[in-house]
Amino acid sequence: MVSFLADRFGSKIVTACAFLAATLCLYLLSLHLDTAVLMACVAVAGLGSVGTQILVNGYVATHYPSSARATALGWSLGVGRLGAILGPLLGGWILGSGLGAEWNFYAFVLPALAGAIFIAAVPRVRASRKAAGVDQSEAV
């Protein structure tokens, strides 16, 4: 479903919105809400955090020129894997520190928000390259 939205509206905006949805839902998970609402928040937080890596891959693949695409995807996947390693370490440290479980959600709000900001900060393709007839998939 989200891939369909990315195809229709552009992967940049959909990826940034997915990260923002994860940010909101991760915060909501720290609150005492109805079970149905919490389950919906878990699904959206999963989509917007772990599931967003696929959207990021699609965005990187279309944003970078073919000469740099493999390197860009490698860096993107590497940062994602680093988060997959450091996330459980951070969660374990927070739980071991005696802070409440809700602090895990607060801590993971920051990377989700950073993802939204970083994706939104990527500049658009320059109009001069579009006017020169450079294919969108080949533009920086």
Side-chain angles (χ1 to χ4, degrees), residues 86-97 104 108:
L86 295 178
L89 291 173
L90 176 62
W93 179 80
I94 290 172
L95 286 177
S97 70
N104 269 309
F108 292 112

Side-chain angles (χ1 to χ4, degrees), residues 1-128:
M1 177 63 175
V2 180
S3 295
F4 170 77
L5 294 174
D7 287 343
R8 179 148 168 80
F9 299 108
S11 56
K12 179 178 180 174
I13 188 70
V14 173
T15 303
C17 288
F19 274 128
L20 287 175
T23 302
L24 175 64
C25 287
L26 284 167
Y27 172 72
L28 291 175
L29 286 171
S30 70
L31 305 176
H32 299 287
L33 300 173
D34 183 54
T35 303
V37 174
L38 288 176
M39 291 299 167
C41 286
V42 167
V44 173
L47 163 87
S49 56
V50 178
T52 303
Q53 180 67 48
I54 295 165
L55 290 173
V56 171
N57 290 344
Y59 178 61
V60 167
T62 59
H63 182 74
Y64 284 89
S66 58
S67 61
R69 193 169 295 148
T71 302
L73 280 169
W75 273 97
S76 170
L77 289 167
V79 169
R81 296 299 180 258
L82 184 62
I85 293 167
L86 295 178
L89 291 173
L90 176 62
W93 179 80
I94 290 172
L95 286 177
S97 70
L99 294 171
E102 67 273 1
W103 281 93
N104 269 309
F105 300 115
Y106 301 148
F108 292 112
V109 160
L110 295 176
L113 183 59
I117 291 169
F118 291 150
I119 289 291
V122 174
R124 291 184 180 264
V125 177
R126 287 187 219 122
S128 60

